[in-house]
Amino acid sequence: MAYRQTAAVEARLQDNRTRILHAARALVSEGGWQEAQIANVATTAGIATGTVYRYFPSKAELFADVLARVSQREVDVLTDIAASEATAHERLHSMVTTFVRRAMRNPRLAYALIAEPCDKAIDEVRLQYRAAISEVVRSVIGDGQTD
């Protein structure tokens, strides 16, 4: 008979994953990729180091996931602005202003996400989100060129 996870077990597993991701994000916010070691993530999340590896096979995978989650939020914010009824000029201005304001709320995290040297796997995710942000901006510029 195959083991089936109960709802309580699934909730606990999801809670562990969420705690790991929040801990990793907090550590990256404080000291960047280099300072966020798996042992520190585990301690901050209140779990054993080995537990982190059950959810993320490597440090690079964990931090690529952190980068993807934070970056997707930025893409979503810019996409919402791009979809507004404002003129292309107003949307572009709002996008740049919003991006800068959000980055300045946590400059250490912004540096890690945008420019800090990092593992190749993390940088590959970074490039995907740079392309996504560029596409949103490009679409608004295109709207402005046709107006």
Side-chain angles (χ1 to χ4, degrees):
M1 183 161 114
Y3 171 75
R4 291 184 186 208
Q5 293 178 344
T6 65
V9 170
E10 287 182 25
R12 183 179 52 79
L13 293 173
Q14 186 57 43
D15 179 59
N16 284 346
R17 183 177 177 81
T18 299
R19 288 176 27 217
I20 292 165
L21 289 166
H22 286 156
R25 183 186 185 280
L27 290 167
V28 171
S29 292
E30 293 170 11
W33 303 118
Q34 297 303 315
E35 295 300 317
Q37 301 300 315
I38 294 295
N40 295 341
V41 171
T43 299
T44 302
I47 60 174
T49 301
T51 302
V52 174
Y53 287 108
R54 283 189 206 145
Y55 293 87
F56 300 94
S58 70
K59 178 180 175 180
E61 285 189 43
L62 169 59
F63 293 131
D65 197 338
V66 169
L67 187 139
R69 288 169 184 268
V70 175
S71 296
Q72 185 59 54
R73 176 68 184 132
E74 299 308 312
V75 171
D76 293 345
V77 166
L78 296 178
T79 300
D80 288 347
I81 294 168
S84 73
E85 296 296 322
T87 67
H89 180 267
E90 291 167 336
R91 287 182 285 154
L92 188 58
H93 183 268
S94 181
M95 290 168 73
V96 171
T97 302
T98 300
F99 187 85
V100 170
R101 282 187 183 142
R102 291 173 63 84
M104 294 313 295
R105 275 191 235 149
N106 191 337
R108 186 63 191 94
L109 179 61
Y111 173 66
L113 296 175
I114 297 168
E116 182 179 355
C118 59
D119 185 274
K120 183 180 179 189
I122 299 168
D123 201 40
E124 287 173 4
V125 174
R126 179 189 286 164
L127 292 174
Q128 291 171 3
Y129 283 95
R130 280 185 188 162
I133 288 171
S134 294
E135 186 54 40
V136 174
V137 172
R138 202 173 297 126
S139 73
V140 172
I141 291 171
D143 290 347
Q145 291 174 331
T146 60
D147 289 345

